[in-house]
Amino acid sequence: MKKYAEMTKEELRAELEQVRAQYEELKARGLSLNMARGKPGKEQLDMNGPMMDLLNSESDYFCDGIDVRNYGNLEGLPSCRALFAELLDVKPENVFVGGSASLQLMYDTIAKAYTHGRVMGPCPWAKLDRVKFLCPAPGYDRHFGISESFGMEMIPVPMTAEGPDMDVVESLALDPEVKGMWCVPKYSNPDGIIYSAETIRRIASLRHAAPDFLLMWDNAYCVHEFEGDYVPFPDILKECAKYGNEDMVFEFASTSKITFPGAGISVFACSERNMAYMKKLLNAQIISYDKVNQLRHVRYFRDKEHVLALMKRHAQILGPKFKCVLDALDKEIAPLGIASWQRPKGGYFVSVNTMPGIAKATWKLCKEAGLTMTGAGATYPYKNDPLDSNMRVAPSLPPIEQLEQAMEIYCASMKLAALEKLLAE
Amino acid sequence: MKKYAEMTKEELRAELEQVRAQYEELKARGLSLNMARGKPGKEQLDMNGPMMDLLNSESDYFCDGIDVRNYGNLEGLPSCRALFAELLDVKPENVFVGGSASLQLMYDTIAKAYTHGRVMGPCPWAKLDRVKFLCPAPGYDRHFGISESFGMEMIPVPMTAEGPDMDVVESLALDPEVKGMWCVPKYSNPDGIIYSAETIRRIASLRHAAPDFLLMWDNAYCVHEFEGDYVPFPDILKECAKYGNEDMVFEFASTSKITFPGAGISVFACSERNMAYMKKLLNAQIISYDKVNQLRHVRYFRDKEHVLALMKRHAQILGPKFKCVLDALDKEIAPLGIASWQRPKGGYFVSVNTMPGIAKATWKLCKEAGLTMTGAGATYPYKNDPLDSNMRVAPSLPPIEQLEQAMEIYCASMKLAALEKLLAE
């Protein structure tokens, strides 16, 4: 097969005819498929059934000398803090266990910066005319959604194979209006890359003009390998502390993709000074989070070793799904030269970069044929992908047989969009 | 027994000697008792064991066509919204089901007023020099804690036997800097009184100078009778709507005192316009709350009738505890004329008003004898009880035998404080 860029108009027209016929045939099937969000599939959820059968008798609700059903322990059940301390390689006193969503802890961290300011001052961000935030892109749309909700000026930073382009970050951080940065350091959303040691060092040692610069370190996929063994990852708290930046960072994690997306538990980890400050502020907001669910997770997870064993079982389900996506792309798209993509070994996404100018059109064609994809552009601040190129593929939800159909539609749609674009030029 | 006020100095001194001996004897027992917070006792928590055994097989997690374990349904599980709609006498579409704490929903409602403003504008409260809030007092310390955290100017409003003094409220609401009011309308915290129909009518029809006046209607004890039958209570949403004030009010409720304080579910109810606005803002904060726990409650509660039956069982546990407190006060304190108190039929507290100037001293004496009470003054904004008189007694947590001991200490402490005060005058 020739690359599309090397085809003559005539060849392109012939190809268009064939691809359109294939697309129409797929569309005629009247399917309803979804690769839009990083939702675990039913098989993954069913795996965790045993977790729901661990609290039976009245004595089961006692842990660390605490009746987990009652009020108390704002910062979380001690055993649960210890468990996440082991997972994240931090100290238990650096861990705060929240409710079912790490997104809410992230939102609250930003919200409190707005209403109360950060622990080091100088003032609540709500008092400022402008707050700028660094947004490595492509990135996670819900991070950008929080920034947008608060009216931040989001500044895109290019992603490289090693993480955010640090030359750009270091230069932008010298602007005192730049108040922080979003990061998904391991299996980044959507690229699935792991920040390199050098990138992490440069982030941890970042010189920032804003004294209250806030590093939002969303370690969402900290144990989420679906291919190969667990990849150890440096603790960002200790890294930042090496350079006197210990109060700069909040790290986040959750069990949304280990147990239940809608009913797991979430944590943040931070310096002792940040912890004392956040506890004071959170104490006005909530008496305590759901410790029954925290205990359920403690009993189910036991320790890091057991969590990693559990993740191997997730990998058995997710691995073939990612292979299905990559195989289809390799077979259908690679020879045509109309897109490139990452080959992640963990996380929840495949990040596809089409030839410029066809991501939106591809999305629309998918939609019309019954396949919902993450919105084209969603991976960029303000949903504005300047090249109209990046698309996030989320293969976790559909069963394999649906995924195969979805990839047929996706590849046909991308080809069609590419041909129409090339023929219109 | 003579009233202390009618005793001669000599009689007071004789009484002091006797009371002090009694107090020292109690103190020497080295007890550790707690009547500080409205925490349900273990017996109440154990009652709800069956709730934890309702989700067993994989098919149990499906409700309303939704897999409750996965992401989705920000506003809550439809069946759960319907259940609370029945309990609060509102429409399901007016109900938003949150996480384990209604306090968090209240905090978020206020926080969003600060960062984003209310749906009717005119601007985020963070942009204002001053925000005043009406605080019927005595009231709930955690309400005042939220206001204080945001730096509001809290204005105490006297409580009457029918609710907040509405002459005062109506006059203060004409100040455009007054942005809202806290209310616990049924079994108010701590007085345990039910707002009268006339008070509710005057609140619902309130003329407020601030266009974004926010009525925080914390219906925490909506089904929480411990004596007598369920008392129907008007729906504040419809009441407000009668006077064009439908967007003024947010109502809150939770199962913290029905199932588990630390692991229940919470709701707010509001107008359609508020709901659309809050959903938009909350969508940036969280994908969805814990629907597994919502479903657990739906299956356990079934309907209002069943919830009321459950509350009768709570009443069987709580009723004797309140009787123990009132009996001790009637026997030990009433004849001395050094305090008066409410006789609630629901809620979680007995509100005691001592003679002026001895609440703090009584609290300290209790503490020294091993009994932790709610901080004296805690029921007033800024913990400032101008008469140093109000004390909140929370009898729910200790078993009866401990409660009897606690009341011995409490009464002896109050007597001692009264005698020392009278003899110092």
Side-chain angles (χ1 to χ4, degrees), chain A residues 200-319:
Chain A
I200 293 171
R201 192 198 57 74
R202 288 175 73 178
I203 291 175
S205 62
L206 190 68
R207 286 185 52 209
H208 42 88
D212 50 353
F213 187 94
L214 174 60
L215 178 62
M216 296 290 285
W217 194 257
D218 183 4
N219 207 346
Y221 308 107
C222 52
V223 292
H224 298 60
E225 282 75 19
F226 57 74
E227 189 186 325
D229 283 333
Y230 168 68
V231 178
F233 194 71
D235 159 31
I236 191 68
L237 268 57
K238 277 193 283 288
E239 290 299 312
C240 287
K242 280 184 199 168
Y243 305 96
N245 269 335
E246 60 272 15
D247 296 329
M248 172 176 78
V249 60
F250 276 77
E251 178 175 19
F252 302 90
S254 82
T255 70
S256 294
K257 275 111 182 172
I258 307 177
T259 57
F260 298 142
I265 54 176
S266 61
V267 303
F268 67 73
C270 63
S271 71
E272 280 160 49
R273 193 172 166 216
N274 275 319
M275 182 63 70
Y277 183 69
M278 286 300 281
K279 272 175 66 177
K280 189 182 124 224
L281 295 182
L282 285 162
N283 186 49
Q285 181 169 4
I286 188 164
I287 302 174
S288 49
Y289 291 89
D290 185 343
K291 293 189 300 298
V292 170
N293 209 24
Q294 292 177 14
L295 178 58
R296 210 179 264 128
H297 281 76
V298 167
R299 296 261 160 88
Y300 182 54
F301 282 169
R302 295 185 231 160
D303 54 24
K304 181 172 178 177
E305 191 186 337
H306 198 251
V307 171
L308 294 181
L310 198 59
M311 297 315 289
K312 284 278 187 194
R313 293 180 56 204
H314 280 286
Q316 282 166 19
I317 300 168
L318 287 172

Side-chain angles (χ1 to χ4, degrees), chain B residues 173-424:
Chain B
L174 299 177
D175 174 354
E177 291 186 330
V178 168
K179 289 292 193 180
M181 171 162 70
W182 290 108
C183 293
V184 182
K186 191 176 171 185
Y187 306 120
S188 62
N189 179 346
D191 282 343
I193 65 129
I194 300 184
Y195 289 15
S196 71
E198 175 63 6
T199 296
I200 293 171
R201 191 197 59 74
R202 288 175 74 177
I203 292 175
S205 62
L206 190 68
R207 287 184 54 209
H208 41 88
D212 49 354
F213 187 94
L214 174 59
L215 178 62
M216 295 290 285
W217 195 256
D218 183 4
N219 208 346
Y221 308 107
C222 52
V223 291
H224 297 60
E225 283 74 19
F226 58 74
E227 188 186 326
D229 283 333
Y230 168 68
V231 177
F233 194 71
D235 159 31
I236 191 68
L237 268 57
K238 278 192 284 287
E239 291 299 313
C240 287
K242 280 185 198 166
Y243 305 96
N245 269 336
E246 59 271 16
D247 296 330
M248 172 176 78
V249 62
F250 276 77
E251 179 175 20
F252 302 89
S254 83
T255 70
S256 294
K257 275 113 183 169
I258 308 178
T259 57
F260 298 141
I265 55 175
S266 61
V267 303
F268 67 73
C270 63
S271 71
E272 280 160 48
R273 194 172 165 217
N274 275 319
M275 183 64 70
Y277 184 68
M278 286 301 280
K279 273 175 64 176
K280 188 181 125 224
L281 294 183
L282 285 161
N283 187 49
Q285 179 168 5
I286 188 164
I287 301 173
S288 49
Y289 290 89
D290 185 344
K291 294 189 300 298
V292 170
N293 209 24
Q294 293 178 14
L295 178 57
R296 210 179 264 126
H297 281 77
V298 167
R299 296 261 161 88
Y300 182 53
F301 283 169
R302 294 185 230 159
D303 54 24
K304 181 174 180 177
E305 192 186 337
H306 198 252
V307 171
L308 294 181
L310 199 57
M311 297 315 289
K312 285 277 187 193
R313 293 180 56 205
H314 280 286
Q316 282 167 18
I317 299 168
L318 287 172
K321 293 188 178 185
F322 278 85
K323 185 168 183 304
C324 172
V325 168
L326 293 171
D327 283 354
L329 291 170
D330 287 344
K331 178 163 167 277
E332 295 292 324
I333 303 296
L336 311 180
I338 55 171
S340 61
W341 47 90
Q342 305 287 340
R343 310 188 79 87
K345 296 188 171 184
Y348 262 67
F349 305 106
V350 176
S351 180
V352 175
N353 290 303
T354 67
M355 57 180 259
I358 66 161
K360 280 199 172 69
T362 302
W363 184 88
K364 193 160 172 283
L365 287 164
C366 287
K367 188 77 188 169
E368 287 165 3
L371 169 63
T372 305
M373 300 286 295
T374 306
T379 52
Y380 279 76
Y382 308 107
K383 300 190 175 34
N384 176 27
D385 174 3
L387 293 178
D388 184 24
S389 158
N390 187 252
M391 298 191 76
R392 188 182 79 165
V393 180
S396 53
L397 185 64
I400 285 278
E401 58 280 11
Q402 284 187 25
L403 205 54
E404 283 166 355
Q405 294 180 311
M407 286 307 294
E408 274 192 85
I409 295 176
Y410 181 53
C411 293
S413 299
M414 197 196 301
K415 287 185 214 175
L416 194 50
L419 289 164
E420 283 173 349
K421 165 100 178 158
L422 289 166
L423 281 164

Side-chain angles (χ1 to χ4, degrees), chain B residues 152-163:
Chain B
M152 289 176 174
E153 184 177 325
M154 291 185 276
I155 304 176
V157 171
M159 280 291 283
T160 74
E162 304 209 343

Side-chain angles (χ1 to χ4, degrees), chain A residues 68-223:
Chain A
V68 297
R69 299 167 298 183
N70 223 323
Y71 291 122
N73 300 90
L74 171 65
E75 66 283 358
L77 194 65
S79 291
C80 199
R81 301 176 79 190
L83 176 73
F84 276 94
E86 193 198 356
L87 282 172
L88 299 173
D89 192 20
V90 298
K91 289 183 283 183
E93 57 265 38
N94 295 125
V95 176
F96 184 102
V97 192
S100 60
S102 59
L103 195 73
Q104 189 165 32
L105 294 178
M106 294 180 225
Y107 183 97
D108 280 351
T109 303
I110 300 265
K112 284 172 194 350
Y114 270 85
T115 53
H116 293 79
R118 295 205 60 216
V119 66
M120 66 290 276
C123 80
W125 295 359
K127 300 287 181 203
L128 303 172
D129 290 332
R130 190 156 47 198
V131 171
K132 298 177 187 165
F133 225 75
L134 304 185
C135 299
Y140 180 30
D141 56 352
R142 289 192 180 271
H143 288 167
F144 304 155
I146 291 175
S147 286
E148 195 166 3
S149 181
F150 283 96
M152 290 176 173
E153 184 177 323
M154 291 184 276
I155 304 176
V157 171
M159 280 291 282
T160 75
E162 304 208 343
D165 185 325
M166 287 309 299
D167 292 342
V168 174
V169 169
E170 284 166 353
S171 156
L172 289 168
L174 299 176
D175 174 354
E177 291 186 331
V178 169
K179 290 290 193 180
M181 172 162 70
W182 290 107
C183 292
V184 182
K186 190 175 171 184
Y187 306 121
S188 62
N189 180 347
D191 282 343
I193 64 127
I194 301 183
Y195 289 14
S196 71
E198 174 62 6
T199 295
I200 293 171
R201 192 198 57 74
R202 288 175 73 178
I203 291 175
S205 62
L206 190 68
R207 286 185 52 209
H208 42 88
D212 50 353
F213 187 94
L214 174 60
L215 178 62
M216 296 290 285
W217 194 257
D218 183 4
N219 207 346
Y221 308 107
C222 52
V223 292

